[in-house]
Amino acid sequence: ESALSRIRSFECSQKNAVLVPVAALGVGGMLLYWLRSRRKIKTIEMGDGWWGSGERPLKGKEDKSIRPFKIETSDKEIEDLHRRLDQARYTPHVEGAAFHYGFNSSYLQKVVAYWRNQFDWRKQVEVLNKYPHFHTNIEGIDIHFIHVKPSYVPHGQAVQPLLMVHGWPGSFYEFYKIIPLLTEPARHGLNEGDVVFEVICPSIPGYGFSEAPHKQGFDSIATARIFHKLMNRLGFKEYYVQGGDWGSRVTTNMAQMLPQSVRGLHVNLVFINKQSLGRLISVMLGAYVPWLVGLSREDARRIYPFMQKNVYDLLRESGYLHIQATKPDTAGCGLNDSPVGLAAYILEKFSTWTDKSFLHEDDGGLESKYTLDELLTNVMIYWVTSSIVSSMRYYKENFSKDPNLSNRFSVHVPTGIAAFPQEITHTPRTWAKDIYKNIITYTYMPRGGHFAAFEVPKLLAQDIMQFVRKVEQL
């Protein structure tokens, strides 16, 4: 018995010798996983803000009502515009310059002649008012938005709320062609039977009919917080968000701030500023063996020659950015005073950002993709609201802080990326994964550029629907 008890004791001690380290490893592993998971879901602090003039009122005194809004015009407004158009001065363009020096002045005179004699602003105001507009005060400033619900929803079908955010020099009007495709897909040959949206398009504060912030520091993170508050005020707890240009940055910040509220994020431009040895190696090897560094053939076609497409082309197209990120009010004075200057400044972006080859066209290729009525309506939104300066300040507010701040927070919500071939810059999926950790769809779009919703609304709508369908099946 003594011998047996010793044997059992030995066996028990042996088991303990194995089990204790295993248990320790298990607990340690779980702790490590917990710590890593906590680090992964690090979010941008929501915080709070006040952007109205003067001091913030006492809590409970803020007006949280949602008020119907209608765009209006007057004879005085149109007469003032016509007077300024009539008095414009032009500089002869350099022969054969096309759009290489900026907006071609000969074509500009044709645009202004159309604006003065044929463009009907009253008619365009009616077009703008075809969707319901609203104002609501958040953090001291009036936020403008349109809210479009589907006219018919099949029995038992869920309507998905979708917030769409514009960029610069665009506006909420960019989405006017895509809204009916999303809210009434069956009428436009997009009936997949399981996806329909109600669409909310706000104007970024300082753009169009949203009041400009009265205080310094209003950036994309403050915008993200305000738009979360807007969606909450409209009664939504979960919603999809979509954007390009600044809209991409804002909606990405929304996903980084309140991932529990963002059911899915869809973007058509990816900002990745991360520089690393791995990225350098990827760029160097990608031109020769793209598959070795996770690039597809299409990625390689869009990225290379690297210096031409990612340095020279970007330098040529980003002069405005340096001005607006440093002293926007100086250049803004002239643009706010001259409708012709404003049109040239804005429409030049709609040329080369739509298609880089338009640089070689005397008319900038503008009317091959858009109508002058569409282009001038967007310009008029800036003109009648005197919002060009406040829209330009948005660059200073974002770049005066750490421009890489957003890249320090991963996005874990389901993400869809539509990569358009004529976009200003291309971000391969393997690079996008540095920030977006849960990419559900990544689509190489067959055509289109920076203003996708405005230029190729059907393609963008189809990609949004495909993305949402996959998320809803998860």
Side-chain angles (χ1 to χ4, degrees), residues 219-221 249 273 396-409:
D219 58 7
S220 63
I221 292 174
R249 175 79 169 260
N273 296 322
K396 182 172 179 62
E397 302 295 15
N398 280 287
F399 284 94
S400 62
K401 300 177 181 179
D402 182 356
N404 291 316
L405 177 63
S406 295
N407 289 337
R408 294 180 190 166
F409 297 85

Side-chain angles (χ1 to χ4, degrees), residues 23-160:
L25 280 171
V27 171
M30 290 174 66
L31 181 62
L32 182 63
Y33 176 80
W34 180 73
L35 289 171
R36 289 188 67 185
S37 65
R38 279 176 59 86
R39 187 167 68 248
K40 282 181 180 177
I41 58 169
K42 184 179 177 184
T43 58
I44 293 176
E45 184 179 348
M46 187 165 181
D48 203 1
W50 176 259
W51 308 102
S53 57
E55 296 295 318
R56 184 171 198 158
L58 296 172
K59 199 168 184 179
K61 301 263 184 173
E62 293 179 36
D63 178 10
K64 296 185 178 181
S65 64
I66 296 173
R67 310 179 303 277
F69 170 73
K70 194 173 183 179
I71 299 171
E72 297 177 341
T73 189
S74 65
D75 291 339
K76 185 178 179 181
E77 183 176 73
I78 295 171
E79 288 166 5
D80 176 68
L81 171 68
H82 286 174
R83 177 182 60 81
R84 291 170 186 265
L85 294 177
D86 288 338
Q87 294 178 351
R89 298 191 304 172
Y90 301 91
T91 302
H93 71 276
V94 178
E95 291 180 10
F99 264 55
H100 286 276
Y101 284 67
F103 207 105
N104 184 293
S105 60
S106 292
Y107 178 61
L108 179 60
Q109 292 179 65
K110 294 179 182 178
V111 172
V112 173
Y114 181 88
W115 197 359
R116 172 64 176 86
N117 302 312
Q118 293 173 263
F119 178 77
D120 188 342
W121 175 231
R122 292 187 186 279
K123 179 181 176 182
Q124 294 309 117
V125 166
E126 291 179 10
V127 171
L128 291 173
N129 283 327
K130 75 177 180 178
Y131 294 132
H133 293 249
F134 301 91
H135 266 154
T136 189
N137 195 277
I138 303 176
E139 298 189 5
I141 50 179
D142 274 346
I143 305 301
H144 162 258
F145 65 98
I146 58 175
H147 187 178
V148 187
K149 299 179 181 180
S151 57
Y152 169 74
V153 180
H155 179 70
Q157 185 169 356
V159 178
Q160 303 294 344

